Amino acid sequence: VQLQASGGGLVETGGSLRLSCAASGSIYAISAMAWYCRAPGKQRELVARTVSGGREDYAMSVRGRFTIARDNAKNTVYLQMDTLKPEDTAVYLCNVQARTSPTSIWRDYWGQGTLVTVSS
């Protein structure tokens, strides 16, 4: 399973970006799809996650500003980032929990990350 993330870039404070992450390869099923971030000098942390059935979880710092969405037909997860702040600057990584066959275990897969830089 491969994940290809895109959509990062440089934006001014208050601006918006939309990240995309498409999963491909031998995918039988996907349960959770998520975005994490890793800011300079900090550990990786969860930004937003969506699981099968529609439940969504967000970090407190992004609630009301970021929206996660998934297109199951395309095995793609999106992150709409609005009202961006300088503290949102980080590498954003997509994560998918998937299985490659009906009998395989669920595994976590990671994308390569896309850099978001918010200027003040």
Side-chain angles (χ1 to χ4, degrees):
V1 177
Q2 298 82 41
L3 303 182
Q4 182 65 49
S6 61
L10 174 64
V11 65
E12 294 182 346
T13 295
S16 297
L17 284 174
R18 187 187 191 220
L19 307 183
S20 300
C21 179
S24 62
S26 181
I27 299 171
Y28 173 76
I30 294 175
S31 59
M33 305 184 84
W35 287 95
Y36 287 74
C37 71
R38 185 171 58 233
K42 296 185 178 181
Q43 292 188 339
R44 184 179 65 199
E45 59 183 29
L46 177 69
V47 176
R49 174 174 53 208
T50 175
V51 299
S52 298
R55 173 182 163 182
E56 297 175 359
D57 297 309
Y58 293 91
M60 286 291 294
S61 60
V62 306
R63 286 182 188 177
R65 300 189 298 121
F66 292 9
T67 304
I68 191 169
R70 63 192 283 177
D71 184 332
N72 291 325
K74 296 181 179 180
N75 289 334
T76 299
V77 61
Y78 305 94
L79 185 68
Q80 178 65 41
M81 311 167 72
D82 297 319
T83 320
L84 282 160
K85 305 175 181 180
E87 50 263 44
D88 295 321
T89 295
V91 173
Y92 285 76
L93 305 108
C94 59
N95 166 266
V96 163
Q97 190 176 68
R99 63 196 308 184
T100 56
S101 77
T103 57
S104 65
I105 62 172
W106 293 99
R107 286 186 57 189
D108 280 310
Y109 297 90
W110 293 89
Q112 84 284 7
T114 184
L115 177 63
V116 171
T117 303
V118 184
S119 63
S120 57

